Amino acid sequence: NAGVMQNPRHLVRRRGQEARLRCSPMKGHSHVYWYRQLPEEGLKFMVYLQKENIIDESGMPKERFSAEFPKEGPSILRIQQVVRGDSAAYFCASSPSGKGVLELFFGEGSRLTVL
Amino acid sequence: RKEVEQDPGPFNVPEGATVAFNCTYSNSASQSFFWYRQDCRKEPKLLMSVYSSGNEDGRFTAQLNRASQYISLLIRDSKLSDSATYLCAVNNAGNNRKLIWGLGTSLAVNP
């Protein structure tokens, strides 16, 4: 049973380019979460999605960032016109459905470097 | 005051020692609590959920103190492989599935 799969593991972009990060949840999990972790900082919640729906995007910057979880295929976190401050590790996590079930299983992360 | 606070450490302990970490939270309505372990440049991995009555998994014991709003993690008979950063996570009240994370406590177990 494969775990949470993220790709790419490492991504280098120049300022102004777009970054697309993909996440396939664990089999049977219908909830996907994106977190950002900066060096020496904690995990910061960005967005929570279920299939085809954004449930909570309170942690997403209002501009340049978007997320989706289509009916078919992985969840995608998209960052447009990247800036140096976007350099971070972006972790995706998934959890099974069920009220109150909050145990998260993380992917290995995508490390974005903006030059 | 931060929503979830941890002593960053580092805690340096010899093999075989017992070490304990605390994590305080500010929202008294929080209902779900977790300890995760994160190795350097790796993803967080769930160590254990924390239940009201306290729970134990091998050398690890987790406890919840609602009155003082903190959770604790006790590691007995420390191993070199326990060296990592330990993160606590607490949910918001209600059915909100958003977890709030502490910055982590760094543990180094020395031979």
Side-chain angles (χ1 to χ4, degrees):
Chain A
N1 186 13
V4 178
M5 304 299 292
Q6 287 189 251
N7 69 84
R9 294 287 309 281
H10 300 275
L11 183 63
V12 179
R13 285 288 179 265
R14 297 191 180 277
R15 281 179 297 170
Q17 291 184 320
E18 179 179 287
R20 281 190 182 228
L21 311 177
R22 288 174 289 277
C23 170
S24 296
M26 283 181 71
K27 188 175 180 180
H29 287 190
S30 58
H31 302 264
V32 166
Y33 310 78
W34 285 94
Y35 284 85
R36 177 164 65 178
Q37 188 173 41
L38 291 163
E40 308 305 320
E41 293 189 19
L43 284 163
K44 299 295 185 186
F45 169 83
M46 299 183 75
V47 61
Y48 157 44
L49 311 101
Q50 293 184 32
K51 278 289 185 183
E52 298 185 275
N53 290 307
I54 296 174
I55 307 302
D56 182 345
E57 56 181 348
S58 58
M60 288 272 276
K62 293 289 186 277
E63 298 177 349
R64 303 189 297 109
F65 285 73
S66 63
E68 62 177 10
F69 190 12
K71 187 177 180 180
E72 301 290 338
S75 175
I76 295 174
L77 179 67
R78 181 183 178 202
I79 312 172
Q80 294 178 290
Q81 299 174 331
V82 296
V83 301
R84 287 214 175 109
D86 297 332
S87 296
Y90 291 84
F91 288 101
C92 171
S94 71
S95 70
S97 58
K99 186 175 181 179
V101 178
L102 278 174
E103 295 179 352
L104 300 184
F105 298 85
F106 284 82
E108 293 182 311
S110 293
R111 282 171 174 75
L112 172 65
T113 301
V114 180
L115 301 178
Chain B
R1 182 186 174 187
K2 290 182 180 176
E3 291 180 89
V4 177
E5 287 196 85
Q6 295 183 250
D7 180 346
F11 284 62
N12 285 285
V13 302
E15 269 186 292
T18 295
V19 62
F21 312 132
N22 282 344
C23 168
T24 58
Y25 60 94
S26 61
N27 188 339
S28 60
S30 295
Q31 297 174 347
S32 301
F33 309 89
F34 306 91
W35 282 105
Y36 281 76
R37 169 198 171 123
Q38 186 173 27
D39 293 284
C40 186
R41 299 188 65 76
K42 298 285 188 179
E43 76 275 21
K45 292 183 178 178
L46 179 64
L47 184 62
M48 53 200 309
S49 304
V50 186
Y51 303 122
S52 298
S53 55
N55 45 304
E56 186 175 309
D57 182 3
R59 299 181 293 108
F60 298 84
T61 300
Q63 293 198 313
L64 167 64
N65 185 317
R66 284 195 184 275
S68 299
Q69 293 183 208
Y70 73 86
I71 62 172
S72 64
L73 177 68
L74 181 78
I75 306 175
R76 289 182 297 277
D77 188 23
S78 301
K79 311 291 184 190
L80 296 177
S81 57
D82 293 334
S83 298
T85 297
Y86 291 83
L87 306 172
C88 71
V90 177
N91 83 311
N92 282 346
N95 198 27
N96 191 315
R97 298 178 72 91
K98 183 168 66 177
L99 290 179
I100 308 300
W101 296 78
L103 296 183
T105 297
S106 176
L107 171 66
V109 181
N110 305 305

